Amino acid sequence: MLDRLQGMVEAPRQTRMPGLLVHGASGIGKTMIARNLSRKYAPEYDPASGITRTPLLLLQAPPAPDERRFYLHILAAVGAPATALSARAQNVASLEVRVIALLRDLGLRMIMIDEVHNLLAGTHREQRRFLNVLRYLSNELEVSLVCLGVSEAVDAIRGDIQLARRLDEHHLPNWRDDAEFSDMIQTLIAAMPLEKKSNLKVKSLKQVLALTGGVTSRIFALVKDLSIDAIITGEECITDDAIAKWTPVWSRHANPIGGSRSPGCEAAPAAQDCRAAARRVVVRLVVSAGGGQLL
């Protein structure tokens, strides 16, 4: 997927630039992929020309299909807030001219719109107008257009036949019981700051799938949670037994009246508490920073 998107960023400019609609279940990793690519093509300042080049612009679709709000989001994303504009200059037509000129100067190559299913919150007419804006930007700037969202995003994009024909559809399926899933789990666990190797049985991997539904964000939450417990208890590895006993964090740590402490912390001295807390932070950072590399 990342290779395909990189190829679209690097594609030579042409009348009809390539486009892609990436859709899948919530939490499957669409936003993670988008942010990973956005970091790879981060804005770069050219001291010779005094211009900041921005090859990729990642935006989130507004809560409803509103052209004016969308243009204002673009200006804010590239560091040109509309607060400096007069009220007259903030009408849709003026914003459109300003956005086109600014994005052209930035050398834009791709626009990525996340949460595109938000379009469905508007009327059919509002959806069509917003989709026309996306198609217009792609045509006028000769940039690739990538839209990401849940399965309903397909219905949103198909509201404009011309745009739908330009966007190839790529479905991100939930993880399945195969070698790719096993490799992903092993890579994720290896990234955790655990002192011992976690040798999990095939049965445990199947249980991870059953517990999470094969959704990436849930799998990350499970591994992160079990890693924290392994650190606190001194086990220092994720075991088959730990997976068998695992329940969601919000269920296991629900406090009764009067409160209670997490397992393994009842008699922990202050120094151990600090160490455990610090390592929990490390786990979260590892998951957050390295997750995109797994997809």
Side-chain angles (χ1 to χ4, degrees), residues 4-5 8 32 34 43 45 57 72 78 89 107 110 113 131 135 173-175 177 194 208 221 237 249 264 274 279 281:
R4 181 177 184 180
L5 290 172
M8 292 174 64
M32 192 180 294
Y45 177 72
L57 182 61
L72 292 176
V78 298
M110 174 184 284
I113 312 295
L131 292 173
R135 179 157 46 84
N174 291 18
W175 292 95
D177 183 15
L194 300 173
V208 170
C237 67
V249 176
C274 292
R279 295 183 69 181
V281 172

Side-chain angles (χ1 to χ4, degrees), residues 6-80:
Q6 290 176 32
M8 292 174 64
V9 176
E10 304 293 344
R13 295 189 188 278
Q14 50 191 298
T15 304
R16 185 166 176 169
M17 294 295 288
L20 189 65
L21 169 60
V22 182
H23 59 95
S26 177
I28 200 62
K30 301 177 295 296
T31 300
M32 192 180 294
I33 291 174
R35 290 178 179 173
N36 189 295
L37 191 70
S38 180
R39 286 193 295 268
K40 181 176 178 63
Y41 291 97
E44 292 185 359
Y45 177 72
D46 182 0
S49 63
I51 297 175
T52 298
R53 296 295 179 183
T54 305
L56 189 153
L57 182 61
L58 173 59
L59 303 164
Q60 180 172 311
D66 184 320
E67 301 161 71
R68 182 175 180 277
R69 181 184 292 183
F70 183 60
Y71 284 134
L72 292 176
H73 282 180
I74 292 178
L75 293 176
V78 298

